[in-house]
Amino acid sequence: NGNIHRSKVDSKKYKTLSVIEFFNQIENLSPIYRHNEGGDLWSGETPEHINAAILKQFAAVNRKAHHRAIVYTHKPVVGSRATAEIREHNFSAIVNANADFAINVSVETLTDVDQALALGLDCVVVLPAGTGAGVTKTPAGNKIDTCPATYNHKIQCSNCGKGRPLCLRKNRGRATGFPAHGSSKKSITDRIVNQ
């Protein structure tokens, strides 16, 4: 559970690494690994800005190590969150990172999925609780694959897609969806259904 680890970080029970220390450890990680499961990409000028230089360096370090990270960011890129300048900056940071893996933009709505895919971005979105195997369609007809690990307990990131996890695939042309879960799943589902 991510919250258990987050609380241990916050209470200083885990040692944290600087960016450079972390980059020096990447070659010791498994060739495919989940990055920023809790938290987000490194911030730039404000907490809403992606630090483009660090992201580009992160991509280069992984490329050199022949590693690929499963990456998500909730920093604004599409939709109406933040200013147009911030969204454009973050779009540019992702596109120019030259990553060998998808940098998944975590979006708020199915309409945001359409906007992200139209821009050529890889994206993920929350789906109503209980969404099972299969494909959900957006208003524009784009496809959202439900994350297989959410309905099949035998699947984890490490064996998803026969070693090619959905969220890792760059330029996949479709979103990945995660059904709402936890104590807020009813309110999240209500918000999604009433979009």
Side-chain angles (χ1 to χ4, degrees):
N1 183 314
N3 288 333
I4 292 170
H5 298 296
R6 178 78 251 168
S7 65
K8 288 186 177 184
V9 169
D10 292 343
S11 63
K12 311 273 190 251
K13 291 182 180 173
Y14 284 163
K15 178 186 176 193
T16 57
L17 303 176
S18 70
V19 173
I20 297 303
E21 288 172 329
F22 170 62
F23 286 178
N24 289 336
Q25 291 299 315
I26 285 176
E27 65 182 1
N28 299 320
L29 301 175
S30 61
I32 295 175
Y33 67 96
R34 284 183 70 178
H35 177 64
N36 67 307
E37 182 177 343
D40 208 316
L41 293 176
W42 298 274
S43 295
E45 183 181 334
T46 73
E48 292 181 317
H49 284 85
I50 293 172
N51 187 314
I54 292 178
L55 180 58
K56 192 167 193 169
Q57 187 179 0
F58 174 65
V61 169
N62 278 281
R63 192 166 39 258
K64 183 177 179 188
H66 303 288
H67 283 31
R68 292 180 300 150
I70 298 172
V71 177
Y72 309 95
T73 181
H74 200 63
K75 294 187 187 295
V77 183
V78 298
S80 58
R81 292 187 307 123
T83 64
E85 179 275 325
I86 290 173
R87 294 193 304 271
E88 288 166 13
H89 166 86
N90 292 341
F91 172 80
S92 178
I94 290 168
V95 170
N96 294 319
N98 196 25
D100 292 337
F101 46 82
I103 299 171
N104 292 284
V105 176
S106 178
V107 301
E108 301 284 316
T109 69
L110 299 185
T111 302
D112 288 350
V113 170
D114 288 329
Q115 187 180 356
L117 292 177
L119 291 171
L121 296 166
D122 297 298
C123 68
V124 295
V125 67
V126 176
L127 296 172
T131 302
V135 173
T136 301
K137 294 257 183 116
T138 68
N142 283 302
K143 295 178 180 177
I144 304 169
D145 297 308
T146 304
C147 169
T150 63
Y151 58 82
N152 183 338
H153 70 279
K154 293 181 181 177
I155 297 179
Q156 298 178 355
C157 294
S158 59
N159 64 359
C160 175
K162 298 179 182 176
R164 290 189 63 234
L166 296 180
C167 293
L168 185 68
R169 297 177 190 177
K170 188 173 179 177
N171 303 320
R172 61 185 179 270
R174 52 203 299 158
T176 303
F178 298 91
H181 60 280
S183 59
S184 301
K185 68 182 178 185
K186 184 181 184 315
S187 61
I188 292 170
T189 297
D190 290 344
R191 179 184 56 79
I192 294 167
V193 170
N194 295 317
Q195 291 178 28

